[in-house]
Amino acid sequence: MNEEMHKLKHLLEHWIEHNDDHRQNYLDWADRAEKAGHPDVAKQLKAAAAAASQATKLFKEAEGILSKGK
């Protein structure tokens, strides 16, 4: 794996971890918004959390493909 792809692999690992942290934060705030009487805001934050989950899945797939291609 060349230096650039090694860096990309490292970035993908970082993005996966960072994205998961953000996802949990969105869900925490969705819960707070719901409890504060803002179900529409909570719904949007939950949708953002779902999108973050999808992004993490794609990052993991990219990382897997990159690792196979060593």
Side-chain angles (χ1 to χ4, degrees), residues 30-70:
D31 186 51
R32 291 177 188 187
E34 208 157 38
K35 287 176 181 173
H38 296 282
D40 292 341
V41 172
K43 181 180 176 183
Q44 294 305 105
L45 291 172
K46 288 176 185 178
S53 291
Q54 180 62 23
T56 294
K57 179 182 177 235
L58 295 170
F59 291 149
K60 286 179 178 179
E61 288 175 6
E63 182 185 27
I65 293 166
L66 191 59
S67 292
K68 286 180 186 177
K70 295 181 180 183

Side-chain angles (χ1 to χ4, degrees), residues 12-28:
L12 286 165
E13 291 167 357
H14 171 76
W15 293 337
I16 289 165
E17 182 180 341
H18 194 67
N19 209 42
D20 285 342
D21 290 342
H22 280 297
R23 179 189 164 279
Q24 187 57 53
N25 203 17
Y26 303 153
L27 291 173
D28 292 344

